[in-house]
Amino acid sequence: MDYKKKLKQRLYVHLGWAGIGALFILFWCIRQPENTYPLSLGIAFVLMGIIRTVQYRQAMKDEQALRQKELAETDERNLMMSERAKSWAFSISVFIAGDLAIILSLLGKQDLALLFAWFLCGMTLLYWICWNIIRKKY
């Protein structure tokens, strides 16, 4: 796929996130609940959508910046580091969730322990599904 086309798709996705953020802000303005979570989430979505949109538009205007961005994304070393970081993040989150499930269970906080146990089960199931898809692909 043409890299400029890929950036344009990302630009539209981030505009969509900014629109969703605007809807959260609008929801909060209309209902004005005591919980400010929709407002803060909406502001974060709008800001990140706008920032990424500006970055992608600037990259698409300058051919040299576009080429540098493409090289950074397709460089084998960057791809390897990204894969390794994802692997570490998954492993660490699974170990932490397992430890927390055990510790919270021992402390008598069964509801929280169950939450982490379900997270652990979900991540294990997701890993198994992804493993089978990748195994069939390669």
Side-chain angles (χ1 to χ4, degrees):
M1 176 189 293
D2 180 42
Y3 189 71
K4 198 168 190 174
K5 186 176 179 182
K6 183 187 268 190
L7 282 185
K8 196 173 279 192
Q9 288 175 343
R10 289 181 188 173
L11 184 133
Y12 293 138
V13 167
H14 288 290
L15 283 174
W17 282 114
I20 290 171
L23 289 176
F24 272 108
I25 294 170
L26 182 65
F27 167 76
W28 186 84
C29 288
I30 291 171
R31 304 245 357 243
Q32 290 193 349
E34 293 177 14
N35 183 1
T36 59
Y37 179 74
L39 177 65
S40 58
L41 185 65
I43 290 171
F45 278 7
V46 168
L47 287 176
M48 290 308 297
I50 290 171
I51 289 169
R52 295 302 283 180
T53 300
V54 168
Q55 288 175 342
Y56 288 139
R57 290 188 110 190
Q58 286 175 347
M60 287 191 304
K61 287 180 183 177
D62 184 15
E63 283 297 322
Q64 186 177 5
L66 182 68
R67 181 73 179 136
Q68 285 178 339
K69 195 165 186 61
E70 182 179 8
L71 285 175
E73 281 190 29
T74 57
D75 181 45
E76 287 182 26
R77 181 173 178 263
N78 288 343
L79 293 173
M80 182 267 305
M81 288 188 308
S82 174
E83 289 296 320
R84 207 171 264 183
K86 290 174 193 175
S87 176
W88 282 18
F90 174 79
S91 298
I92 291 169
S93 67
V94 166
F95 284 121
I96 289 173
D99 291 345
L100 283 174
I102 293 169
I103 291 169
L104 290 170
S105 179
L106 293 174
L107 292 175
K109 300 189 185 260
Q110 301 301 329
D111 292 339
L112 280 175
L114 187 62
L115 178 71
F116 284 104
W118 277 112
F119 171 78
L120 185 61
C121 291
M123 292 301 286
T124 305
L125 179 66
L126 183 62
Y127 176 80
W128 180 77
I129 291 169
C130 292
W131 173 268
N132 283 314
I133 290 171
I134 291 171
R135 186 180 60 154
K136 289 178 182 175
K137 187 175 180 180
Y138 297 105

